[in-house]
PDB file of all heavy atoms in Angstrom:
ATOM      1  N   PRO A  25       5.497   1.577   1.722  1.00  0.00           N
ATOM      2  CA  PRO A  25       6.215   2.552   0.886  1.00  0.00           C
ATOM      3  C   PRO A  25       5.561   3.924   1.023  1.00  0.00           C
ATOM      4  O   PRO A  25       4.343   4.052   0.967  1.00  0.00           O
ATOM      5  CB  PRO A  25       6.038   2.007  -0.525  1.00  0.00           C
ATOM      6  CG  PRO A  25       5.710   0.564  -0.354  1.00  0.00           C
ATOM      7  CD  PRO A  25       4.992   0.452   0.955  1.00  0.00           C
ATOM      8  N   THR A  26       6.383   4.929   1.247  1.00  0.00           N
ATOM      9  CA  THR A  26       5.885   6.276   1.499  1.00  0.00           C
ATOM     10  C   THR A  26       6.592   7.274   0.599  1.00  0.00           C
ATOM     11  O   THR A  26       7.805   7.230   0.444  1.00  0.00           O
ATOM     12  CB  THR A  26       6.131   6.658   2.978  1.00  0.00           C
ATOM     13  OG1 THR A  26       5.485   5.701   3.809  1.00  0.00           O
ATOM     14  CG2 THR A  26       5.588   8.037   3.294  1.00  0.00           C
ATOM     15  N   ILE A  27       5.803   8.182   0.022  1.00  0.00           N
ATOM     16  CA  ILE A  27       6.340   9.274  -0.784  1.00  0.00           C
ATOM     17  C   ILE A  27       6.192  10.543   0.052  1.00  0.00           C
ATOM     18  O   ILE A  27       5.086  11.077   0.194  1.00  0.00           O
ATOM     19  CB  ILE A  27       5.573   9.415  -2.113  1.00  0.00           C
ATOM     20  CG1 ILE A  27       5.603   8.109  -2.893  1.00  0.00           C
ATOM     21  CG2 ILE A  27       6.134  10.572  -2.934  1.00  0.00           C
ATOM     22  CD1 ILE A  27       4.568   8.014  -3.984  1.00  0.00           C
ATOM     23  N   PRO A  28       7.293  11.024   0.656  1.00  0.00           N
ATOM     24  CA  PRO A  28       7.201  12.223   1.483  1.00  0.00           C
ATOM     25  C   PRO A  28       7.368  13.485   0.633  1.00  0.00           C
ATOM     26  O   PRO A  28       8.271  13.576  -0.198  1.00  0.00           O
ATOM     27  CB  PRO A  28       8.379  12.061   2.454  1.00  0.00           C
ATOM     28  CG  PRO A  28       9.382  11.266   1.697  1.00  0.00           C
ATOM     29  CD  PRO A  28       8.613  10.396   0.731  1.00  0.00           C
ATOM     30  N   LEU A  29       6.479  14.443   0.838  1.00  0.00           N
ATOM     31  CA  LEU A  29       6.541  15.692   0.085  1.00  0.00           C
ATOM     32  C   LEU A  29       6.417  16.891   1.011  1.00  0.00           C
ATOM     33  O   LEU A  29       5.541  16.934   1.866  1.00  0.00           O
ATOM     34  CB  LEU A  29       5.420  15.753  -0.945  1.00  0.00           C
ATOM     35  CG  LEU A  29       5.511  14.720  -2.064  1.00  0.00           C
ATOM     36  CD1 LEU A  29       4.216  14.656  -2.829  1.00  0.00           C
ATOM     37  CD2 LEU A  29       6.656  15.059  -2.978  1.00  0.00           C
ATOM     38  N   SER A  30       7.280  17.852   0.803  1.00  0.00           N
ATOM     39  CA  SER A  30       7.210  19.108   1.536  1.00  0.00           C
ATOM     40  C   SER A  30       6.533  20.142   0.654  1.00  0.00           C
ATOM     41  O   SER A  30       6.271  19.899  -0.527  1.00  0.00           O
ATOM     42  CB  SER A  30       8.622  19.578   1.895  1.00  0.00           C
ATOM     43  OG  SER A  30       9.315  19.933   0.711  1.00  0.00           O
ATOM     44  N   LYS A  31       6.289  21.331   1.207  1.00  0.00           N
ATOM     45  CA  LYS A  31       5.660  22.384   0.411  1.00  0.00           C
ATOM     46  C   LYS A  31       6.562  22.844  -0.721  1.00  0.00           C
ATOM     47  O   LYS A  31       6.087  23.354  -1.728  1.00  0.00           O
ATOM     48  CB  LYS A  31       5.208  23.554   1.277  1.00  0.00           C
ATOM     49  CG  LYS A  31       6.303  24.288   1.992  1.00  0.00           C
ATOM     50  CD  LYS A  31       5.700  25.377   2.874  1.00  0.00           C
ATOM     51  CE  LYS A  31       6.726  25.969   3.803  1.00  0.00           C
ATOM     52  NZ  LYS A  31       6.113  26.883   4.756  1.00  0.00           N
ATOM     53  N   LYS A  32       7.871  22.631  -0.579  1.00  0.00           N
ATOM     54  CA  LYS A  32       8.789  22.978  -1.668  1.00  0.00           C
ATOM     55  C   LYS A  32       8.712  21.957  -2.802  1.00  0.00           C
ATOM     56  O   LYS A  32       8.993  22.282  -3.949  1.00  0.00           O
ATOM     57  CB  LYS A  32      10.219  23.087  -1.144  1.00  0.00           C
ATOM     58  CG  LYS A  32      10.408  24.265  -0.229  1.00  0.00           C
ATOM     59  CD  LYS A  32      11.809  24.339   0.328  1.00  0.00           C
ATOM     60  CE  LYS A  32      11.888  25.519   1.287  1.00  0.00           C
ATOM     61  NZ  LYS A  32      13.131  25.564   2.016  1.00  0.00           N
ATOM     62  N   SER A  33       8.334  20.716  -2.474  1.00  0.00           N
ATOM     63  CA  SER A  33       8.240  19.650  -3.472  1.00  0.00           C
ATOM     64  C   SER A  33       6.914  19.675  -4.226  1.00  0.00           C
ATOM     65  O   SER A  33       6.854  19.292  -5.395  1.00  0.00           O
ATOM     66  CB  SER A  33       8.362  18.278  -2.807  1.00  0.00           C
ATOM     67  OG  SER A  33       9.527  18.178  -2.060  1.00  0.00           O
ATOM     68  N   LEU A  34       5.846  20.088  -3.539  1.00  0.00           N
ATOM     69  CA  LEU A  34       4.513  20.061  -4.138  1.00  0.00           C
ATOM     70  C   LEU A  34       3.656  21.150  -3.516  1.00  0.00           C
ATOM     71  O   LEU A  34       3.454  21.172  -2.301  1.00  0.00           O
ATOM     72  CB  LEU A  34       3.853  18.694  -3.925  1.00  0.00           C
ATOM     73  CG  LEU A  34       2.431  18.541  -4.447  1.00  0.00           C
ATOM     74  CD1 LEU A  34       2.389  18.664  -5.971  1.00  0.00           C
ATOM     75  CD2 LEU A  34       1.847  17.199  -4.012  1.00  0.00           C
ATOM     76  N   ASP A  35       3.139  22.030  -4.351  1.00  0.00           N
ATOM     77  CA  ASP A  35       2.244  23.093  -3.902  1.00  0.00           C
ATOM     78  C   ASP A  35       0.827  22.533  -3.876  1.00  0.00           C
ATOM     79  O   ASP A  35       0.192  22.401  -4.924  1.00  0.00           O
ATOM     80  CB  ASP A  35       2.341  24.296  -4.842  1.00  0.00           C
ATOM     81  CG  ASP A  35       1.413  25.428  -4.455  1.00  0.00           C
ATOM     82  OD1 ASP A  35       0.705  25.319  -3.422  1.00  0.00           O
ATOM     83  OD2 ASP A  35       1.384  26.428  -5.200  1.00  0.00           O
ATOM     84  N   ILE A  36       0.338  22.195  -2.701  1.00  0.00           N
ATOM     85  CA  ILE A  36      -0.985  21.581  -2.606  1.00  0.00           C
ATOM     86  C   ILE A  36      -2.111  22.575  -2.885  1.00  0.00           C
ATOM     87  O   ILE A  36      -3.262  22.171  -3.022  1.00  0.00           O
ATOM     88  CB  ILE A  36      -1.205  20.881  -1.249  1.00  0.00           C
ATOM     89  CG1 ILE A  36      -1.170  21.865  -0.080  1.00  0.00           C
ATOM     90  CG2 ILE A  36      -0.205  19.756  -1.073  1.00  0.00           C
ATOM     91  CD1 ILE A  36      -1.560  21.264   1.254  1.00  0.00           C
ATOM     92  N   THR A  37      -1.792  23.860  -3.005  1.00  0.00           N
ATOM     93  CA  THR A  37      -2.819  24.849  -3.349  1.00  0.00           C
ATOM     94  C   THR A  37      -2.968  24.988  -4.864  1.00  0.00           C
ATOM     95  O   THR A  37      -3.787  25.770  -5.331  1.00  0.00           O
ATOM     96  CB  THR A  37      -2.505  26.230  -2.737  1.00  0.00           C
ATOM     97  OG1 THR A  37      -1.310  26.752  -3.310  1.00  0.00           O
ATOM     98  CG2 THR A  37      -2.362  26.132  -1.220  1.00  0.00           C
ATOM     99  N   ASN A  38      -2.200  24.218  -5.617  1.00  0.00           N
ATOM    100  CA  ASN A  38      -2.270  24.211  -7.081  1.00  0.00           C
ATOM    101  C   ASN A  38      -2.945  22.918  -7.513  1.00  0.00           C
ATOM    102  O   ASN A  38      -2.320  21.846  -7.492  1.00  0.00           O
ATOM    103  CB  ASN A  38      -0.862  24.327  -7.662  1.00  0.00           C
ATOM    104  CG  ASN A  38      -0.841  24.348  -9.170  1.00  0.00           C
ATOM    105  OD1 ASN A  38      -1.555  23.604  -9.833  1.00  0.00           O
ATOM    106  ND2 ASN A  38       0.011  25.191  -9.720  1.00  0.00           N
ATOM    107  N   PHE A  39      -4.216  22.999  -7.903  1.00  0.00           N
ATOM    108  CA  PHE A  39      -5.002  21.799  -8.210  1.00  0.00           C
ATOM    109  C   PHE A  39      -4.358  20.953  -9.304  1.00  0.00           C
ATOM    110  O   PHE A  39      -4.249  19.736  -9.165  1.00  0.00           O
ATOM    111  CB  PHE A  39      -6.433  22.158  -8.611  1.00  0.00           C
ATOM    112  CG  PHE A  39      -7.246  20.940  -8.971  1.00  0.00           C
ATOM    113  CD1 PHE A  39      -7.825  20.171  -7.965  1.00  0.00           C
ATOM    114  CD2 PHE A  39      -7.408  20.550 -10.286  1.00  0.00           C
ATOM    115  CE1 PHE A  39      -8.551  19.030  -8.275  1.00  0.00           C
ATOM    116  CE2 PHE A  39      -8.149  19.413 -10.607  1.00  0.00           C
ATOM    117  CZ  PHE A  39      -8.714  18.662  -9.595  1.00  0.00           C
ATOM    118  N   GLU A  40      -3.949  21.568 -10.395  1.00  0.00           N
ATOM    119  CA  GLU A  40      -3.395  20.813 -11.516  1.00  0.00           C
ATOM    120  C   GLU A  40      -2.128  20.068 -11.108  1.00  0.00           C
ATOM    121  O   GLU A  40      -1.945  18.890 -11.446  1.00  0.00           O
ATOM    122  CB  GLU A  40      -3.108  21.722 -12.717  1.00  0.00           C
ATOM    123  CG  GLU A  40      -4.346  22.254 -13.412  1.00  0.00           C
ATOM    124  CD  GLU A  40      -5.009  23.424 -12.679  1.00  0.00           C
ATOM    125  OE1 GLU A  40      -4.334  24.093 -11.843  1.00  0.00           O
ATOM    126  OE2 GLU A  40      -6.206  23.649 -12.909  1.00  0.00           O
ATOM    127  N   MET A  41      -1.246  20.741 -10.396  1.00  0.00           N
ATOM    128  CA  MET A  41      -0.005  20.115  -9.941  1.00  0.00           C
ATOM    129  C   MET A  41      -0.306  18.945  -9.000  1.00  0.00           C
ATOM    130  O   MET A  41       0.268  17.863  -9.133  1.00  0.00           O
ATOM    131  CB  MET A  41       0.870  21.153  -9.233  1.00  0.00           C
ATOM    132  CG  MET A  41       2.231  20.643  -8.825  1.00  0.00           C
ATOM    133  SD  MET A  41       3.193  21.895  -7.923  1.00  0.00           S
ATOM    134  CE  MET A  41       3.505  23.077  -9.234  1.00  0.00           C
ATOM    135  N   LEU A  42      -1.212  19.159  -8.083  1.00  0.00           N
ATOM    136  CA  LEU A  42      -1.597  18.133  -7.119  1.00  0.00           C
ATOM    137  C   LEU A  42      -2.222  16.931  -7.830  1.00  0.00           C
ATOM    138  O   LEU A  42      -1.841  15.781  -7.592  1.00  0.00           O
ATOM    139  CB  LEU A  42      -2.573  18.729  -6.105  1.00  0.00           C
ATOM    140  CG  LEU A  42      -3.031  17.850  -4.958  1.00  0.00           C
ATOM    141  CD1 LEU A  42      -1.858  17.412  -4.093  1.00  0.00           C
ATOM    142  CD2 LEU A  42      -4.053  18.607  -4.117  1.00  0.00           C
ATOM    143  N   ASN A  43      -3.152  17.190  -8.711  1.00  0.00           N
ATOM    144  CA  ASN A  43      -3.832  16.125  -9.448  1.00  0.00           C
ATOM    145  C   ASN A  43      -2.849  15.338 -10.309  1.00  0.00           C
ATOM    146  O   ASN A  43      -2.885  14.103 -10.336  1.00  0.00           O
ATOM    147  CB  ASN A  43      -4.954  16.720 -10.295  1.00  0.00           C
ATOM    148  CG  ASN A  43      -5.880  15.665 -10.837  1.00  0.00           C
ATOM    149  OD1 ASN A  43      -6.346  14.795 -10.111  1.00  0.00           O
ATOM    150  ND2 ASN A  43      -6.144  15.734 -12.134  1.00  0.00           N
ATOM    151  N   ASP A  44      -1.971  16.027 -11.013  1.00  0.00           N
ATOM    152  CA  ASP A  44      -0.967  15.355 -11.848  1.00  0.00           C
ATOM    153  C   ASP A  44      -0.060  14.467 -11.012  1.00  0.00           C
ATOM    154  O   ASP A  44       0.260  13.343 -11.408  1.00  0.00           O
ATOM    155  CB  ASP A  44      -0.121  16.374 -12.627  1.00  0.00           C
ATOM    156  CG  ASP A  44      -0.895  17.073 -13.734  1.00  0.00           C
ATOM    157  OD1 ASP A  44      -2.019  16.610 -14.064  1.00  0.00           O
ATOM    158  OD2 ASP A  44      -0.387  18.097 -14.234  1.00  0.00           O
ATOM    159  N   PHE A  45       0.352  14.965  -9.858  1.00  0.00           N
ATOM    160  CA  PHE A  45       1.238  14.187  -9.001  1.00  0.00           C
ATOM    161  C   PHE A  45       0.535  12.925  -8.506  1.00  0.00           C
ATOM    162  O   PHE A  45       1.105  11.831  -8.528  1.00  0.00           O
ATOM    163  CB  PHE A  45       1.729  15.014  -7.815  1.00  0.00           C
ATOM    164  CG  PHE A  45       2.838  14.342  -7.073  1.00  0.00           C
ATOM    165  CD1 PHE A  45       4.153  14.601  -7.422  1.00  0.00           C
ATOM    166  CD2 PHE A  45       2.586  13.430  -6.067  1.00  0.00           C
ATOM    167  CE1 PHE A  45       5.198  13.964  -6.765  1.00  0.00           C
ATOM    168  CE2 PHE A  45       3.614  12.789  -5.410  1.00  0.00           C
ATOM    169  CZ  PHE A  45       4.926  13.063  -5.762  1.00  0.00           C
ATOM    170  N   ILE A  46      -0.698  13.061  -8.069  1.00  0.00           N
ATOM    171  CA  ILE A  46      -1.454  11.904  -7.568  1.00  0.00           C
ATOM    172  C   ILE A  46      -1.706  10.912  -8.697  1.00  0.00           C
ATOM    173  O   ILE A  46      -1.612   9.696  -8.495  1.00  0.00           O
ATOM    174  CB  ILE A  46      -2.749  12.365  -6.869  1.00  0.00           C
ATOM    175  CG1 ILE A  46      -2.374  13.110  -5.568  1.00  0.00           C
ATOM    176  CG2 ILE A  46      -3.665  11.188  -6.577  1.00  0.00           C
ATOM    177  CD1 ILE A  46      -3.518  13.821  -4.897  1.00  0.00           C
TER     178      ILE A  46
END
Side-chain angles (χ1 to χ4, degrees):
T26 302
I27 303 163
L29 294 167
S30 67
K31 63 183 169 187
K32 292 178 183 172
S33 305
L34 177 65
D35 179 2
I36 63 172
T37 65
N38 181 318
F39 178 82
E40 290 78 20
M41 185 183 291
L42 184 61
N43 193 49
D44 289 348
F45 191 92
I46 292 170

